[in-house]
């Protein structure tokens, strides 16, 4: 009896995976969304990231706030590199949003300045996150709403520049759990702030990202394609290449198909998960999963 139950469960799981992959393939053939890649894996070597990602066929890149200081007075140099390698600025990581009233104006000004930078680079979206959880304590509903109030103001001002502000859910921050994310999303003014759903952070926080895609279909602007794996460490997890962790990426693609998502899906890997790999090797592994397993084009 145990053996029969085991075999039946394996069969059901295999069938579910095949169904998810089939949905993903159907979606991919429509070419409804674009695949980008984050430069974070290169640890600040952004020109190398641009060159490497272009060589692999990616058409979009996410740059981070670390590029602002060195290139703010020579934006054309960075933009020329993007144009030369036929890469669009899919997303810009703008940094934290502070809820301290004393830091309100400086926080808003920082992100608005980044929005001008994004516009000059030919981009039209920036993501914001928030500070670490204080003493590892969950935020109150009131605190989450205060955070959203600041994001709404940032989004209002970046909209004037033609740049969409998006909120990125994140572990160890306000918005770690699905319940916290929901409070934030419900308080966001959709005219000014939309959602960047990070599927690995959402899974690690206790949610099912494919369900979140459907739930928030009207406010999702972009996604981070990401995977997470349980390990013995202080955090208990690490980020890995797509298909090597516990996130049901095919199911996410199926959900994207269901809601007819048409934005950027940006692959993000915070760092190389194994010391014998390089950033470009990780990007190639992710490309292989997307193009061969999910049968999805990068463009």
């Amino acid at each position: 009896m145990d053996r029969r139950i085991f075999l039946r469960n394996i069969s059901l799981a295999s069938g579910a995976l095949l169904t998810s992959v089939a949905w993903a393939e159907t979606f991919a053939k429509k070419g409804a969304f674009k695949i980008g890649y984050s430069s974070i894996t290169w640890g600040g070597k952004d020109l190398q990231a641009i060159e490497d990602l272009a060589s692999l066929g990616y058409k979009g890149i996410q740059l981070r706030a670390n590029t602002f200081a060195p290139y703010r007075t020579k934006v054309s140099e960075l933009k020329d590199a993007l144009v030369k390698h036929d890469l669009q600025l899919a997303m810009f990581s703008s940094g934290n949003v502070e809820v301290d009233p004393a830091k309100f104006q400086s926080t808003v000004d920082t992100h608005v300045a980044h929005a001008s930078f994004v516009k000059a680079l030919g981009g039209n979206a920036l993501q914001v996150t928030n500070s670490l959880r204080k003493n590892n304590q969950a935020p109150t509903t009131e605190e989450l709403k205060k955070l959203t109030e600041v994001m709404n103001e940032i989004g209002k001002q970046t909209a004037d520049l033609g740049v969409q502000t998006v909120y990125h859910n994140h572990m160890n921050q306000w918005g770690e759990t699905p319940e916290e994310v929901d409070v934030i999303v419900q308080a966001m003014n959709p005219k000014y702030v939309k959602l960047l759903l990070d599927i690995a952070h959402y899974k690690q926080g206790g949610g099912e990202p494919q369900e979140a895609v459907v739930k928030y279909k009207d406010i999702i602007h972009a996604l981070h394609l990401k995977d997470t794996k349980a390990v013995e460490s202080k955090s208990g997890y690490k980020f890995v290449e797509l298909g090597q962790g516990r996130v049901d990426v095919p199911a996410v693609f199926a959900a994207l198909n269901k809601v007819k998502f048409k934005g950027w899906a940006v692959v993000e890997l915070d760092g190389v998960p194994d010391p014998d790999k390089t950033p470009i090797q990780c990007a190639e592994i992710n490309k292989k999963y997307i193009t061969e397993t999910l049968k999805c084009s990068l463009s």
Side-chain angles (χ1 to χ4, degrees):
M1 180 63 72
D2 290 345
R3 182 172 182 273
R4 287 199 299 272
I5 293 174
F6 173 76
L7 292 175
R8 183 191 66 183
N9 290 341
I10 290 294
S11 177
L12 289 173
S14 298
L17 177 59
L18 288 173
T19 300
S20 294
V21 172
W23 269 97
E25 289 181 3
T26 300
F27 179 58
K29 291 173 183 176
K30 295 182 180 179
F33 71 90
K34 301 164 286 187
I35 303 290
Y37 206 101
S38 176
S39 67
I40 189 173
T41 325
W42 279 259
K45 299 178 180 178
D46 297 287
L47 294 181
Q48 186 63 54
I50 290 172
E51 182 179 333
D52 287 348
L53 291 173
S55 72
L56 292 175
Y58 288 97
K59 297 300 181 182
I61 188 171
Q62 174 167 336
L63 296 176
R64 306 179 70 215
N66 65 282
T67 59
F68 180 70
Y71 289 105
R72 63 183 302 182
T73 59
K74 48 180 182 178
V75 180
S76 60
E77 182 178 329
L78 188 56
K79 184 175 182 180
D80 287 348
L82 294 172
V83 172
K84 176 184 176 181
H85 291 90
D86 192 26
L87 278 175
Q88 297 181 53
L89 182 61
M91 184 60 63
F92 184 83
S93 181
S94 190
N96 293 342
V97 171
E98 301 292 343
V99 296
D100 182 349
K103 298 180 179 179
F104 174 82
Q105 196 58 53
S106 61
T107 294
V108 173
D109 290 347
T110 294
H111 294 294
V112 171
H114 288 169
S116 295
F117 185 66
V118 168
K119 195 67 176 178
L121 289 173
N124 59 19
L126 61 78
Q127 74 170 47
V128 295
T129 54
N130 58 88
S131 299
L132 295 176
R133 295 165 92 86
K134 298 175 177 62
N135 300 318
N136 204 31
Q137 293 181 348
T140 65
T141 298
E142 290 70 25
E143 287 174 323
L144 292 173
K145 289 182 177 179
K146 287 180 181 178
L147 167 66
T148 312
E149 287 176 6
V150 183
M151 292 195 296
N152 284 338
E153 180 59 31
I154 292 169
K156 183 178 181 180
Q157 295 196 31
T158 65
D160 291 338
L161 299 171
V163 175
Q164 177 67 59
T165 292
V166 298
Y167 164 68
H168 175 336
N169 60 292
H170 206 288
M171 287 294 295
N172 300 320
Q173 295 186 357
W174 291 3
E176 172 181 305
T177 68
E179 293 77 16
E180 293 171 14
V181 171
D182 193 61
V183 172
I184 291 171
V185 171
Q186 298 305 326
M188 291 186 327
N189 184 335
K191 184 177 179 180
Y192 300 127
V193 183
K194 296 191 182 299
L195 176 65
L196 185 156
L197 178 66
D198 186 301
I199 65 175
H201 281 284
Y202 197 82
K203 178 70 174 180
Q204 193 63 41
E208 292 298 337
Q210 64 271 20
E211 296 176 4
V213 168
V214 177
K215 181 176 183 177
Y216 300 123
K217 61 185 176 64
D218 295 328
I219 202 168
I220 290 180
H221 180 82
L223 290 94
H224 274 169
L225 299 179
K226 198 167 185 173
D227 212 343
T228 179
K229 179 180 180 180
V231 295
E232 293 185 4
S233 67
K234 183 178 180 180
S235 67
Y237 66 93
K238 73 174 181 178
F239 297 115
V240 293
E241 295 92 346
L242 298 176
Q244 298 191 15
R246 55 196 295 263
V247 177
D248 190 346
V249 181
V252 171
F253 274 52
L256 292 171
N257 177 43
K258 182 177 180 179
V259 303
K260 297 180 174 59
F261 177 71
K262 298 183 183 299
W264 279 101
V266 178
V267 182
E268 185 183 59
L269 186 60
D270 290 17
V272 292
D274 303 303
D276 58 340
K277 292 178 182 175
T278 64
I280 191 172
Q281 287 174 328
C282 294
E284 192 164 16
I285 292 170
N286 282 316
K287 174 187 175 181
K288 184 176 180 180
Y289 180 81
I290 292 168
T291 60
E292 297 184 12
T293 301
L294 297 183
K295 309 296 182 185
C296 183
S297 171
L298 294 181
S299 58

